[in-house]
Amino acid sequence: GAGVSQSPRYKVAKRGQDVALRCDPISGHVSLFWYQQALGQGPEFLTYFQNEAQLDKSGLPSDRFFAERPEGSVSTLKIQRTQQEDSAVYLCASSLGLSYYGYTFGSGTRLTVV
Amino acid sequence: DAKTTQPNSMESNEEEPVHLPCNHSTISGTDYIHWYRQLPSQGPEYVIHGLTSNVNNRMASLAIAEDRKSSTLILHRATLRDAAVYYCILSMYSGGGADGLTFGKGTHLIIQP
């Protein structure tokens, strides 16, 4: 596709439920990032993939958060046993590589935990 | 990553130029200056980036101070569609870096018709 696609666009989860958020990056983009954006704040880095390798997961807030990109294209961010503080917009971004300027972001998935 | 300082909000009139300032007094010699903007209900969008020289593209211009401790994003003729949060970000990589981009709170730009 022409851009980064994220699904679902909105997700409401009951506290304790597991959720999976999907990101379809631009075809051929090597680098993929996940960000979390709380209301009124800037996006915060969660994790980074280069192809299928997860090279940095230092931003994941707890071991309930898990991300994968098994074939180096589509990525899934999974949150287990969701808590209210997990409510946020989750953004995915991709780029050709570290030396290529300009990340392309998706529109995000708004997760609300009730 | 070195820190940037931006005003929380700015207001401008439609069809007038807008100058969005950013201070980065602790910038290192290898840090690139990136600008992204985020329209309501969308992900951030790349605007422009530079290292030392002023840069122009179809969206905006980036003016970088000679000592590189500050920069200004210039929208030459603002439209209502330019209303967004503008983020000034430093990274040692031209592409943004393996640890992603470190966003602050940015400047909320309001455009009055």
Side-chain angles (χ1 to χ4, degrees):
Chain A
V4 176
S5 177
Q6 291 188 247
S7 60
R9 189 77 174 87
Y10 302 93
K11 176 69 178 178
V12 178
K14 291 184 178 178
R15 192 170 57 179
Q17 186 179 353
D18 296 349
V19 298
L21 311 179
R22 178 187 170 104
C23 172
D24 277 272
I26 293 173
S27 178
H29 276 197
V30 169
S31 299
L32 185 145
F33 300 82
W34 283 97
Y35 288 81
Q36 181 189 59
Q37 186 170 25
L39 191 64
Q41 305 295 315
E44 291 194 0
F45 169 80
L46 293 177
T47 187
Y48 160 64
F49 289 86
Q50 183 173 310
N51 294 309
E52 69 279 3
Q54 187 175 21
L55 298 185
D56 188 347
K57 53 182 180 179
S58 61
L60 296 176
S62 78
D63 58 7
R64 295 186 296 104
F65 286 70
F66 172 75
E68 60 183 5
R69 193 186 185 197
E71 296 178 0
S73 55
V74 171
S75 178
T76 304
L77 176 67
K78 297 179 180 178
I79 308 173
Q80 296 176 325
R81 305 181 303 282
T82 52
Q83 304 294 318
Q84 282 192 319
E85 61 262 29
D86 299 335
S87 296
V89 175
Y90 290 86
L91 295 161
C92 176
S94 71
S95 74
L96 280 168
L98 297 181
S99 298
Y100 293 87
Y101 59 84
Y103 293 2
T104 303
F105 282 81
S107 295
T109 294
R110 180 176 295 278
L111 173 64
T112 303
V113 181
V114 297
Chain B
D1 288 333
K3 187 177 176 179
T4 62
T5 303
Q6 300 178 254
N8 289 332
S9 65
M10 289 183 63
E11 199 166 311
S12 183
N13 295 319
E14 197 176 9
E15 299 187 4
E16 291 186 356
V18 179
H19 291 236
L20 295 163
C22 181
N23 287 320
H24 29 77
S25 58
T26 59
I27 190 171
S28 75
T30 54
D31 280 337
Y32 287 81
I33 302 161
H34 300 256
W35 283 83
Y36 278 74
R37 72 179 185 180
Q38 188 171 21
L39 279 65
S41 299
Q42 293 187 29
E45 173 189 30
Y46 169 82
V47 177
I48 199 165
H49 83 291
L51 184 61
T52 56
S53 303
N54 293 345
V55 185
N56 299 296
N57 66 21
R58 64 175 181 82
M59 289 182 70
S61 296
L62 177 59
I64 302 172
E66 202 167 322
D67 63 5
R68 299 208 329 124
K69 293 186 176 182
S70 66
S71 60
T72 302
L73 179 71
I74 303 165
L75 307 179
H76 294 287
R77 195 163 167 265
T79 69
L80 295 177
R81 289 175 295 178
D82 292 321
V85 178
Y86 285 78
Y87 298 98
C88 170
I89 302 163
L90 303 182
S91 174
M92 62 179 291
Y93 291 95
S94 62
D99 58 350
L101 298 166
T102 301
F103 290 81
K105 288 191 175 182
T107 296
H108 184 199
L109 176 63
I110 300 164
I111 304 295
Q112 297 289 356

